[in-house]
C-alpha cells in the first residue's frame, strides 16, 4: 500500500518558516546584544584604564620636575653664598672668636645654668621622641665655647624660641658677639631670601657649629665629638670639609633631627674656601615641608584630580616615606587601623604617633616603589601600601646625592567605578533589547511568508551595493505593497546617498573650520559634552589699539577687508607654529598652544607667535596706510577646554590662566608683548624681558608682569 503524496505535502512541517524565522531573529538579536555589550565593556574599561595611567603619569612627572627644580635652586643659591665675600669673612671671624672662647675659662655657674635649661626645655622632648630615659650628659655641648654660646644665645635669649634669630648682639663684650652683630643680620636676611629652614656655618677643622641662624641646640656643638656626631648634618660637614672644590655640594638625605624637635631634615653643604683652603662649611638645613607641599599639592588631592583615594608620595632607598600620606592627614584613626590590619610592626606605628608624622617611619615596599628606586619608569596594577589593588605610575627622581622614587596611585575600585556603572547599564539595556527582539521577531515570523525570500534576496543585493536591484510584486496585498515600497526605497536611497556624500564632504570642511581636528573627530564619533583639563598651556590675547576709532569713518567693506586680511595673516602664522586659534571677537584675537595636542615648548611658540603678530600688524598698517598697533598679553598655566553650543559650535577655554592672559593684554602697552611670571620663568634664558613691576589686575590684585624686548 503506497502513501498518498498529497497528504504528505499537506502535512504541517515540524519546523516551519515561522519558527525558523523567529528562532533566527532571537539568536541574532541576542548575539548582537551580547557581542556589542562585551566589546563596549572591554573597550571602555581599557580606554578608562589608559586614561587614568596617563593622568597619573602627567601628575607624577609634573611633581618630579618641581622637586628636582627645588633642589637645583637650593644648590645654586648655596654655591653662590658659599663663594660670597660676606660668608668667607663671617667664617674667618667666627672661627677666631670661637677659638678665643675655648681658650678662656668657663664662668662660674654657667654649666649648671645650661644644664637646668636643657632639663626644663629640651630633654623632655628628646625622651618622648626616643621613647627612653636618656641621660642629659649625652646631649650637652662638650666644649667651653659651646656652653658659653648656648648660654648667651639660647638660654638668655630674650626672644621666643622660634624667633631666637632676632638677637643680633648678646652684649657680653666678647669678640664673638661683635662679629655676630656685624654678620648675623646679613646672614639672616640671606637665609630668609633663599628660603632655607636654617643656615649654619661649621669649622672645617674642628667640626664645630660656629654659627646658626635659628640658634637651635646644635649651635656651638662639635660635630666630631658632640651629641650630633652621628647625624646627617655631621656627615654633610665631614664630606665637604676635605673638598677644596668651589663646585662641590654635599647633600645628605632626610632623617629625624632632634634639634628640630625630631622633624625630618636634610642638609646640603658647600665648602667655604679662603685662599685655596677650606676654612669652613656652609650648610643649608632643608625642611621636609617644602617638598611635602609639592608632592601632596598642599593636601588638595581632589582638586589635583586624585579623587577620593588617589595620592602621590616619595620614598627613599630605605623604602621609608619622604612625604606625608593622604590617609594620615584626612582620617588618622582609619590610618592607624589600616596599618594595624596590615600587620605593620608595633614599633613603627608607635614611632609615627610619637613624631606626629609617617615621614621616615612608614615603610612602603611594593612593586611600584622597588621599580622606581631601581631607576625604572612605568605604570601598572599593583597592591598598594594598605594592601588594596591600585593603578599606579612610578619613576625615579634625578637629584644628585639622593635616590628617591615618586609614585602616583589611585585605588582600583574608585578608578573603575564608572565601568561598574557601565556594566549595570549594559545589563539593563541588553535585557530590554532582548525583550524587544523577542517581541518583534514573533510578530515578523507570523506575518512574513512566501515573497519574503525574494524580498530578502533583493535586500541583500542592495546591501551589497547593487543599486539596480528590483523585487517583483507578485501580489497586491501588504507583501506586494512592501515589495513596491522596497523598489521605491532603493531608488530614493540611491539618490539620497549621493546627496548625503556631498553634504558630508561639505560638513567635514565646515566642521574643521570651526573646531580643532582632534575635537572634530571626537564630535563626529558621537562624543557628547566634550570637556578636557590641561595642566599647562599658554594662552594669548591680542587687541588692535584704536581700531574702533580708526574704522568709524571707513566704509563697511573696507573695514572687513582690512580686518580679514590682518587676521588671515595671523592664522597663517599660527598654523606654521602649531598654535590653535580659538576665536576672534571684533578686533580681538585669542589663541592657545599646548592643546589639544600637547607640546613641551608651548610658551616659546606662543611668544614667537606674538612677535610675528606685532610685525605683521606693522606691515599691514603700512600697506593700508593706516595707524594701527597690536597689544598682546600672554600667560601659562592650567585650563579647561570644551565644546559649547548645539546649533552653532564653539571650542572655548576657561580658567584663571585665561582670565590673567586677558588682563595681560588689557593692561599692556600698544605695540608690545606683556607676559606673566610663569611665561617669564620658562623663557627668561631664551628671550630678553624687561620687568614692568607689579600692576593692578582686576580680581587678582597686584601681579608681576614683564615686557618682551622686541
Amino acid at each position: 500500500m503506497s502513501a498518498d503524496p498529497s497528504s504528505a505535502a499537506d502535512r504541517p512541517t515540524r519546523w516551519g518558516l515561522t519558527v525558523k524565522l523567529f528562532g533566527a531573529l532571537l539568536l541574532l538579536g541576542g548575539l548582537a546584544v551580547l557581542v556589542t555589550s562585551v566589546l563596549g565593556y572591554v573597550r571602555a574599561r581599557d580606554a578608562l584604564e589608559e586614561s587614568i595611567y596617563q593622568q597619573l603619569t602627567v601628575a607624577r612627572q609634573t611633581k618630579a620636575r618641581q622637586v628636582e627644580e627645588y633642589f637645583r635652586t637650593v644648590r645654586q643659591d648655596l654655591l653662590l653664598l658659599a663663594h660670597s665675600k660676606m660668608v668667607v669673612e663671617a667664617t674667618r671671624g667666627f672661627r677666631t672668636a670661637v677659638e678665643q672662647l675655648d681658650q678662656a675659662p668657663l664662668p662660674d655657674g654657667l654649666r649648671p645654668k645650661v644644664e637646668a635649661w636643657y632639663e626644663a626645655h629640651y630633654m623632655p622632648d628628646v625622651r618622648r621622641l626616643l621613647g627612653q630615659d636618656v641621660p642629659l650628659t649625652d646631649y650637652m655641648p662638650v666644649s667651653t665655647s659651646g656652653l658659653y654660646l648656648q648660654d648667651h644665645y639660647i638660654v638668655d635669649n630674650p626672644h621666643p624660641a622660634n624667633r631666637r634669630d632676632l638677637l643680633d648682639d648678646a652684649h657680653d663684650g666678647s669678640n664673638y658677639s661683635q662679629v655676630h652683630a656685624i654678620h648675623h643680620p646679613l646672614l639672616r636676611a640671606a637665609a630668609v631670601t633663599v628660603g632655607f629652614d636654617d643656615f649654619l656655618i661649621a669649622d672645617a677643622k674642628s667640626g664645630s657649629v660656629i654659627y646658626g641662624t635659628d640658634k637651635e641646640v646644635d649651635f656651638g656643638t662639635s660635630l666630631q665629638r658632640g651629641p650630633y656626631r652621628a647625624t646627617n648634618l655631621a656627615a654633610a660637614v665631614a664630606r665637604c670639609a676635605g673638598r677644596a672644590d668651589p663646585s662641590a655640594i654635599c647633600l645628605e638625605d632626610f632623617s629625624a633631627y632632634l634639634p628640630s624637635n625630631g622633624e625630618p631634615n636634610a642638609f646640603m653643604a658647600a665648602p667655604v674656601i679662603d685662599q685655596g683652603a677650606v676654612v669652613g662649611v656652609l650648610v643649608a638645613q632643608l625642611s621636609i615641608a617644602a617638598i611635602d607641599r609639592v608632592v601632596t599639592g598642599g593636601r588638595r588631592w581632589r582638586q589635583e584630580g586624585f579623587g577620593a583615594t588617589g595620592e602621590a608620595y616619595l620614598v627613599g632607598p630605605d623604602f621609608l616615606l619622604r612625604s606625608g600620606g593622604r590617609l594620615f592627614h584626612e582620617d588618622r584613626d582609619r590610618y592607624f587601623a589600616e596599618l594595624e590590619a596590615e600587620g605593620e610592626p608595633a614599633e613603627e606605628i608607635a614611632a609615627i604617633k610619637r613624631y606626629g608624622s609617617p615621614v621616615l617611619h612608614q615603610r612602603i615596599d611594593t612593586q611600584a616603589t622597588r621599580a622606581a628606586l631601581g631607576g625604572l619608569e612605568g605604570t601598572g596594577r599593583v597592591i598598594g601600601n594598605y594592601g588594596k589593588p591600585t593603578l599606579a605610575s612610578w619613576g625615579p627622581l634625578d637629584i644628585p646625592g639622593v635616590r628617591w622614587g615618586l609614585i602616583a596611585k589611585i585605588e582600583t575600585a574608585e578608578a573603575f567605578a564608572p565601568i561598574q556603572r557601565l556594566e549595570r547599564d549594559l545589563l539593563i539595556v541588553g535585557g530590554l533589547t532582548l525583550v524587544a527582539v523577542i517581541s518583534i521577531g514573533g510578530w515578523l515570523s507570523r506575518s512574513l511568508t512566501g515573497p519574503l525570500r525574494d524580498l530578502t534576496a533583493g535586500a541583500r543585493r542592495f546591501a551589497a551595493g547593487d543599486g539596480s536591484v528590483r523585487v517583483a510584486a507578485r501580489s497586491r496585498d501588504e507583501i506586494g505593497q512592501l515589495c513596491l515600497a522596497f523598489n521605491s526605497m532603493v531608488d530614493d536611497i540611491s539618490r539620497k546617498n549621493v546627496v548625503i556624500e556631498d553634504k558630508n564632504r561639505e560638513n567635514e570642511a565646515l566642521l574643521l573650520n570651526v573646531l580643532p581636528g582632534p575635537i572634530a573627530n571626537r564630535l563626529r564619533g558621537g562624543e557628547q559634552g566634550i570637556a578636557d583639563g590641561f595642566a599647562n598651556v599658554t594662552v594669548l590675547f591680542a587687541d588692535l589699539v584704536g581700531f574702533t576709532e580708526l574704522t568709524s569713518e571707513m566704509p563697511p567693506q573696507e573695514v572687513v577687508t582690512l580686518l580679514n586680511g590682518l587676521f588671515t595673516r595671523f592664522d597663517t602664522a599660527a598654523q606654521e607654529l602649531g598654535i590653535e586659534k580659538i576665536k576672534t571677537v571684533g578686533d580681538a584675537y585669542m589663541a592657545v598652544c599646548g592643546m589639544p595636542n600637547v607640546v613641551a615648548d608651548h610658551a616659546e611658540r606662543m611668544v614667537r607667535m606674538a612677535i610675528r603678530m606685532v610685525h605683521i600688524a606693522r606691515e599691514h598698517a603700512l600697506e593700508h596706510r593706516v595707524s594701527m598697533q597690536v597689544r598682546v598679553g600672554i600667560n601659562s598655566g592650567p585650563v579647561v577646554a570644551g565644546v559649547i553650543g548645539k546649533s552653532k559650535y564653539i571650542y572655548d577655554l576657561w580658567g584663571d590662566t585665561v582670565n590673567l592672559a586677558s588682563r595681560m593684554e588689557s593692561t599692556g602697552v600698544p605695540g608690545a608683548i606683556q607676559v606673566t611670571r610663569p611665561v617669564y620663568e620658562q623663557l627668561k634664558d631664551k628671550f630678553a624681558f624687561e620687568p614692568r613691576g607689579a600692576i593692578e589686575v582686576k580680581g587678582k590684585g597686584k601681579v608681576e608682569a614683564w615686557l618682551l624686548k622686541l
Side-chain angles (χ1 to χ4, degrees):
M1 181 177 176
S2 62
D4 187 357
S6 61
S7 62
D10 294 336
R11 189 185 310 128
T13 60
R14 183 177 182 183
W15 301 104
L17 180 61
T18 300
V19 175
K20 292 178 181 178
L21 181 59
F22 177 77
L25 288 174
L26 182 61
L27 179 61
L28 291 175
L31 286 176
V33 171
L34 179 62
V35 171
T36 302
S37 300
V38 171
L39 287 177
Y41 174 80
V42 172
R43 290 179 179 177
R45 182 195 60 195
D46 293 344
L48 177 63
E49 185 172 2
E50 181 62 26
S51 174
I52 293 172
Y53 283 143
Q54 291 177 357
Q55 182 178 352
L56 291 173
T57 300
V58 169
R60 174 182 60 79
Q61 291 174 342
T62 300
K63 293 178 183 298
R65 285 193 296 269
Q66 291 174 333
V67 174
E68 292 165 358
E69 180 62 27
Y70 169 77
F71 278 95
R72 279 194 294 269
T73 301
V74 172
R75 175 189 178 95
Q76 293 168 0
D77 292 340
L78 187 64
L79 285 175
L80 183 63
L81 288 170
H83 299 159
S84 67
K85 182 179 179 182
M86 172 187 69
V87 171
V88 173
E89 291 181 350
T91 303
R92 190 188 304 125
F94 285 132
R95 288 184 68 195
T96 302
V98 168
E99 289 174 357
Q100 292 174 357
L101 290 176
D102 280 329
Q103 294 172 2
L106 191 67
D108 294 338
L110 189 145
R111 177 182 290 275
K113 179 181 175 184
V114 175
E115 290 177 346
W117 183 91
Y118 264 71
E119 284 290 0
H121 297 92
Y122 183 57
M123 293 307 297
D125 288 335
V126 171
R127 291 165 180 146
R128 174 182 59 82
L129 293 173
L130 297 180
Q132 53 184 319
D133 188 16
V134 293
L136 168 65
T137 54
D138 289 352
Y139 295 89
M140 289 291 294
V142 297
S143 65
T144 300
S145 61
L147 289 167
Y148 184 91
L149 292 175
Q150 289 201 2
D151 176 63
H152 286 79
Y153 286 90
I154 297 179
V155 177
D156 289 339
N157 194 312
H159 301 287
N162 61 342
R163 293 315 311 269
R164 293 184 188 132
D165 61 317
L166 295 177
L167 180 61
D168 294 336
D169 190 346
H171 298 292
D172 59 339
S174 67
N175 184 33
Y176 187 92
S177 292
Q178 294 176 12
V179 175
H180 191 274
I182 295 172
H183 295 290
H184 178 63
L186 299 175
L187 294 172
R188 178 180 58 206
V192 171
T193 301
V194 299
F196 294 160
D197 199 52
D198 196 3
F199 200 39
L200 308 168
I201 299 177
D203 187 343
K205 181 178 179 182
S206 65
S208 297
V209 180
I210 57 178
Y211 171 77
T213 303
D214 289 349
K215 302 301 183 294
E216 293 184 336
V217 293
D218 53 5
F219 173 55
T221 63
S222 171
L223 298 178
Q224 296 177 358
R225 301 178 294 113
Y228 310 111
R229 60 187 178 275
T231 62
N232 53 347
L233 170 60
V237 170
R239 286 171 54 197
C240 269
R243 300 180 64 182
D245 180 0
S247 64
I249 284 289
C250 304
L251 174 61
E252 287 294 325
D253 198 352
F254 284 93
S255 65
Y257 193 58
L258 284 177
S260 296
N261 198 30
E263 295 180 358
N265 281 276
F267 293 93
M268 186 178 290
V272 179
I273 302 173
D274 186 14
Q275 298 180 355
V278 179
V279 297
V281 179
L282 182 66
V283 185
Q285 182 173 331
L286 308 179
S287 170
I288 199 70
I291 296 174
D292 189 76
R293 281 193 298 272
V294 172
V295 177
T296 65
R299 301 178 186 174
R300 298 169 66 251
W301 292 280
R302 287 186 181 272
Q303 292 84 340
E304 289 203 339
F306 283 104
T309 62
E311 64 175 330
Y313 58 86
L314 282 170
V315 291
D318 50 7
F319 293 98
L320 296 179
L321 279 176
R322 295 299 192 272
S323 63
R326 177 175 185 174
L327 187 58
F328 176 82
H329 294 296
E330 290 187 340
D331 190 344
R332 199 157 295 189
D333 292 338
R334 182 182 160 208
Y335 167 79
F336 286 114
E338 292 279 5
L339 291 183
E340 293 174 357
E342 284 301 305
E344 298 296 336
E347 56 270 18
E348 176 182 304
I349 299 176
I352 296 173
K353 291 180 178 179
R354 287 199 310 273
Y355 286 89
S357 171
V359 177
L360 296 178
H361 303 293
Q362 182 180 354
R363 180 180 176 86
I364 301 181
D365 185 359
T366 66
Q367 174 188 344
T369 57
R370 288 193 296 271
L373 292 173
L376 300 177
E377 283 190 314
T379 58
R381 301 190 188 192
V382 299
I383 300 300
N385 44 317
Y386 301 112
K388 297 180 179 179
T390 64
L391 303 183
S393 174
W394 58 82
L397 271 71
D398 184 15
I399 303 173
V402 297
R403 183 165 62 94
W404 289 352
L406 180 60
I407 293 87
K409 61 93 174 175
I410 188 171
E411 289 186 8
T412 304
E414 180 185 7
F416 286 149
I419 293 299
Q420 295 173 353
R421 291 193 295 270
L422 175 63
E423 181 180 357
R424 183 182 64 249
D425 294 343
L426 286 175
L427 289 174
I428 294 174
V429 172
L432 293 175
T433 304
L434 191 59
V435 170
V437 168
I438 293 173
S439 301
I440 295 173
W443 176 78
L444 287 176
S445 64
R446 289 190 302 269
S447 62
L448 299 179
T449 54
L452 184 61
R453 289 191 297 272
D454 294 338
L455 188 61
T456 302
R460 288 174 178 170
R461 289 174 56 193
F462 178 71
D466 185 359
S468 63
V469 64
R470 293 292 182 272
V471 176
R474 293 181 294 181
S475 65
R476 303 184 115 188
D477 58 8
E478 291 81 3
I479 297 298
Q481 295 297 319
L482 179 62
C483 293
L484 293 175
F486 173 80
N487 294 334
S488 177
M489 179 191 69
V490 169
D491 294 335
D492 189 49
I493 290 178
S494 297
R495 290 192 300 269
K496 289 182 178 180
N497 279 343
V498 175
V499 176
I500 289 172
E501 290 176 359
D502 294 337
K503 291 297 183 181
N504 283 341
R505 285 191 290 270
E506 294 175 4
N507 291 339
E508 174 76 12
L510 181 60
L511 191 60
L512 291 177
N513 281 333
V514 176
L515 302 175
I519 303 303
N521 291 336
R522 291 167 62 185
L523 194 62
R524 285 197 304 271
E527 185 172 348
Q528 300 293 324
I530 295 178
D532 302 298
F534 296 89
N536 195 9
V537 302
T538 299
V539 181
L540 174 146
F541 277 86
D543 186 60
L544 299 179
V545 181
F547 184 82
T548 302
E549 294 78 7
L550 171 66
T551 59
S552 60
E553 301 298 326
M554 295 175 63
Q557 185 61 39
E558 291 183 16
V559 174
V560 173
T561 300
L562 175 65
L563 193 59
N564 182 57
L566 179 62
F567 281 2
T568 299
R569 296 173 71 174
F570 286 175
D571 292 346
T572 301
Q575 187 175 12
E576 292 173 355
L577 290 169
I579 290 171
E580 192 67 42
K581 171 187 172 182
I582 297 302
K583 61 183 175 181
T584 61
V585 180
D587 57 351
Y589 191 96
M590 177 184 177
V592 65
C593 189
M595 58 161 286
N597 296 320
V598 178
V599 293
D601 60 341
H602 51 84
E604 180 179 353
R605 293 191 188 192
M606 191 60 83
V607 168
R608 297 194 183 279
M609 171 69 179
I611 294 172
R612 288 197 189 184
M613 293 177 73
V614 172
H615 292 310
I616 289 171
R618 292 174 181 171
E619 294 172 3
H620 203 69
L622 290 174
E623 292 171 3
H624 289 78
R625 298 181 180 179
V626 295
S627 177
M628 182 172 61
Q629 288 183 302
V630 67
R631 182 174 57 213
V632 183
I634 303 176
N635 183 30
S636 292
V639 300
V640 174
V643 176
I644 297 299
K646 184 174 182 181
S647 60
K648 292 184 179 180
Y649 293 114
I650 182 173
Y651 186 68
D652 210 345
L653 312 179
W654 305 271
D656 193 59
T657 299
V658 178
N659 296 335
L660 189 52
S662 176
R663 298 294 187 269
M664 286 295 102
E665 176 275 314
S666 61
T667 59
V669 178
I673 301 165
Q674 182 167 264
V675 305
T676 58
R677 174 171 285 280
V679 179
Y680 168 75
E681 290 295 340
Q682 294 181 64
L683 302 178
K684 61 184 178 181
D685 295 331
K686 296 184 178 180
F687 296 90
F689 295 90
E690 59 178 305
R692 196 179 178 195
I695 62 175
E696 184 69 27
V697 173
K698 182 179 180 181
K700 297 291 289 184
K702 295 291 184 179
V703 175
E704 292 181 287
W706 283 261
L707 293 177
L708 178 69
K709 291 184 179 180
L710 298 173

